[in-house]
Amino acid sequence: MFYRASLQAAAALASLSLLAGCGLLPGGGSNVEQKLAVGTTSSPSTLDPAAAWDSSWELMRNVFQTLVSFPTGSTSPEPDAADNCRFTDNTSTAYRCELRKGLKFSNGDTLDAEAVKYSIDRIRSIAVKGGPVGMLGSLDRVETKGDDIVIFHLSKPDATFPFVLATPAMSLVAPSAYSKNKIRDDGKVTGSGPYLLDAYKAGDRAELVRNPDYKGFANRKNDAVTIRYFKESAALVPALKKGEIDATYRGLSAEEVVSLEDNTDKDSDLQIVENVGADIRFLVFNPKDPAAGNPAVRRAIAQLVDRDALVAKVYRGTAEPLYSMIPKGIAAHTTSFFDRFGDPDRKKAKKILTDAGITKPVAMTFWFTTDRYGSSTAPEFAELKRQLEASGLFRITLKSKPWKTFQEGFTKGEFPVFGRGWFPDFPDPDNFIAPFVGKDSVTGMPYVKDEITKELLPQSRKESDRGAVSKQFERAQEILVDDVRVLPLWQGKLYVAAGEDVGGGERALDPQTVMQMWELYRKANW
């Protein structure tokens, strides 16, 4: 995906806008049609919400609706396709939504309560491995009352359920256009969002035009957006300079960000907006691999990785070391991996291995994706290889694939160790623990841990005050450190670069770190 917070609510992304522009207004009162082009290295892996638990959400947020959503600046889910939603009991097990009047899909079908039920039920009936079905673990059944009322009955208390409904994975689709048992793969979309998908070419571009029938929270400041998908981030800034695109998000290299922030490129008239991010990067270990499945090997790697050097050499201040799966800025963040392993130490790593009977260098293959997280990914893994091999305790082979085949590989368990990124579904500590445990872990590696899934998460989900769940999540982080099935590496910042005549970049990323294209506009004089 990935993405992207106050300490309590951790929802409203603070933005530091470096964009200039006094005496300018969206559209400037002009009747000229507002058309923009936005570039990114993060192309969708699917156009069907039932299969999407990655940054395919970027496009989906703009062409589909959800019952509730996260407008910029919101601290909790607010109505979108719904007119209002609320829990109807004191145990957080029945969530009722009443739809807006007059909603319809882009094919003319009515968006009613049955369409909502159909959209959510098909996620569970299709049950894509590694897909969003894992987010609906607390849902028992969906009930409709008349055309406008939907009630979600939960099998257990879950105060985070409204946050789940606000994710693009829960996008509403037209039943006549989407099979209940099969993913749609014709390259088309039938939704009710702010934009219509006028044309789409996988890996190349998506053409969005204003949806004349849209009824929701989005205040569209442009009429059309072309999203261009770049295979290499190195092409993004040149495309901006040439005017081929007006803005870019995801994929800027650290060097490009630093250059733009310091204005070291004197010939550039580009601007940049820095957004506080909650996106994280981490390694995933396959428990079925002979080496990666050995806890001693995983702990030795955890003892050797030098996050400070990694961030300094590769990311140059555009990221910071991360010692927990819950990042800074999210309630219950700790430094659990540092508390356990401390600074990188070869002697301690060697002892971990020798105590487990391992006396020869461990040969392992690390995998990463070439086109999901930007051009710094390859240098990052080269630095990890350098660090581990410098200890004399490991021999690392690096391999990579484009995201689509990479995703297929890790969901099939083909990779012993691989790199992943996580852009939050919603800004709550639950979303940095729950997706990585259980049979349907988003990593593709089942990780059954009953204390987390049967005790800690259920306890925390009874608490509507999400700032009061630290005890449960601190314990969950201790368990993750014990097992080292995932190893957090760093936490990033998010940047939107744009031409000086483009505004709205400081509002374009919602609390899920998903790009809201409707916030961008071309500035015009008074």
Side-chain angles (χ1 to χ4, degrees), residues 146-344:
D147 293 334
D148 301 326
I149 304 297
V150 184
I151 303 173
F152 298 90
H153 295 279
L154 309 183
S155 59
K156 50 194 172 185
D158 187 359
T160 71
F161 188 74
F163 292 79
V164 172
L165 286 181
T167 66
M170 304 298 140
S171 293
L172 307 178
V173 300
S176 65
Y178 290 82
S179 167
K180 191 170 185 177
N181 300 302
K182 183 181 178 182
I183 292 299
R184 183 175 179 177
D185 59 1
D186 62 356
K188 297 181 180 179
V189 160
T190 309
S192 60
Y195 297 98
L196 304 176
L197 184 61
D198 191 51
Y200 178 74
K201 183 178 180 181
D204 180 53
R205 67 184 60 218
E207 300 283 354
L208 310 184
V209 297
R210 182 185 286 246
N211 180 359
D213 298 316
Y214 170 70
K215 294 182 179 180
F217 74 88
N219 178 19
R220 293 165 294 182
K221 298 173 183 175
N222 59 62
D223 300 295
V225 177
T226 296
I227 305 175
R228 288 189 54 193
Y229 301 113
F230 290 77
K231 292 183 179 180
E232 299 291 338
S233 63
L236 287 172
V237 172
L240 271 172
K241 291 179 178 179
K242 294 176 183 177
E244 295 173 355
I245 56 176
D246 299 296
T248 182
Y249 69 103
R250 299 208 199 286
L252 289 174
S253 69
E255 290 76 12
E256 289 162 342
V257 170
V258 171
S259 174
L260 289 168
E261 285 190 320
D262 294 344
N263 197 26
T264 54
D265 187 348
K266 302 301 182 182
D267 295 327
S268 174
D269 59 357
L270 304 182
Q271 313 286 334
I272 193 164
V273 176
E274 177 186 315
N275 293 274
V276 176
D279 61 310
I280 65 175
R281 297 293 187 276
F282 53 94
L283 294 178
V284 181
F285 296 94
N286 188 339
K288 294 185 178 181
D289 179 78
N294 188 327
V297 172
R298 303 196 297 266
R299 290 169 185 153
I301 291 173
Q303 185 65 71
L304 287 171
V305 169
D306 188 339
R307 294 169 177 83
D308 287 328
L310 179 67
V311 167
K313 291 182 178 180
V314 179
Y315 291 100
R316 300 182 60 190
T318 61
E320 55 185 319
L322 182 63
Y323 296 94
S324 164
M325 290 299 286
I326 300 176
K328 291 181 181 178
I330 302 293
H333 165 74
T334 69
T335 56
S336 50
F337 273 87
F338 184 83
D339 298 341
R340 176 69 60 86
F341 295 102
D343 292 322

Side-chain angles (χ1 to χ4, degrees), residues 406-439:
F406 178 79
Q407 186 179 39
E408 292 171 354
F410 71 69
T411 55
K412 293 178 181 178
E414 295 176 354
F415 307 151
V417 184
F418 56 95
R420 284 293 309 275
W422 181 248
F423 299 95
D425 302 331
F426 49 86
D428 186 276
D430 188 286
N431 195 233
F432 292 92
I433 299 295
F436 305 104
V437 294
K439 293 184 295 183

Side-chain angles (χ1 to χ4, degrees), residues 303-304 343-351 390-393:
Q303 185 65 71
L304 287 171
D343 292 322
D345 192 311
R346 181 190 178 279
K347 290 183 179 179
K348 290 181 180 179
K350 183 176 181 180
K351 186 176 189 307
S391 70
L393 303 174

